[in-house]
């Protein structure tokens, strides 16, 4: 809350509209999530959101359109990373299956050879 944070006079005077206050609350929620999940990506998103809200308020533009764009971009990035991870996992699973099958074949070969050696020495 405000007790833990210090605000400059410039920051306080910019918080004039309901949208400014809502924007500040949204940024605080994202920062809290970033800390909770130890996420650098969420912390960076919060920083970008804060800048978009500040500059959008000053320039008279719609800061929430920019924030929505930032969130959409982050979701797309996370979906792309998840797809890449799934592809990598599928490759690893396939390679592990091949490795286990080859290992099984080699163990069978070893057993057969050991049996032949035992039979030849007796």
């Amino acid at each position: 809350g405000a007790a833990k944070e210090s605000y400059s006079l410039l920051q306080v005077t910019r918080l004039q509209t309901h949208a400014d206050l809502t924007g500040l609350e949204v940024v605080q929620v994202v920062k809290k999530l970033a800390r909770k999940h130890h996420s650098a990506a969420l912390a960076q998103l919060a920083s970008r959101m804060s800048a978009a809200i500040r500059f959008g308020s000053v320039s008279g533009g719609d800061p929430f359109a920019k924030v929505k764009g930032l969130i959409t971009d982050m979701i797309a990035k996370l979906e792309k990373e998840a797809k890449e991870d799934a592809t990598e996992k599928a490759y690893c699973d396939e390679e592990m299956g091949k490795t286990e099958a080859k290992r099984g074949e080699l163990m069978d070969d070893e057993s057969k050879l050991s049996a032949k050696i035992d039979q030849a020495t007796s």
Side-chain angles (χ1 to χ4, degrees):
K4 293 181 183 176
E5 310 240 359
S6 63
Y7 298 98
S8 70
L9 181 58
L10 183 60
Q11 287 175 316
V12 173
T13 57
R14 285 188 182 166
L15 298 175
Q16 296 173 354
T17 67
H18 178 68
D20 293 338
L21 293 172
T22 302
L24 182 63
E25 289 174 10
V26 168
V27 170
Q28 293 302 320
V29 168
V30 174
K31 283 182 180 179
K32 184 178 178 182
L33 283 171
R35 282 190 302 270
K36 180 180 179 183
H37 296 287
H38 306 291
S39 171
L42 282 175
Q44 186 177 28
L45 176 64
S47 176
R48 288 181 178 174
M49 287 171 58
S50 178
I53 291 168
R54 272 196 318 268
F55 296 127
S57 296
V58 171
S59 68
D62 181 12
F64 290 102
K66 177 70 176 175
V67 168
K68 182 179 176 185
L70 291 170
I71 292 170
T72 302
D73 292 346
M74 181 175 208
I75 289 170
K77 178 184 168 191
L78 291 172
E79 287 175 342
K80 179 183 173 208
E81 289 174 0
K83 183 178 178 184
E84 290 170 355
D85 289 347
T87 301
E88 183 178 352
K89 183 179 181 332
Y91 172 77
C92 290
D93 288 347
E94 179 183 350
E95 290 300 311
M96 285 300 292
K98 289 177 185 177
T99 301
E100 286 297 322
K102 183 68 175 176
R103 183 175 179 266
E105 290 173 16
L106 292 173
M107 290 179 79
D108 289 343
D109 290 348
E110 180 198 17
S111 296
K112 289 176 187 174
L113 291 172
S114 292
K116 281 184 180 181
I117 291 171
D118 290 342
Q119 187 180 21
T121 57
S122 43

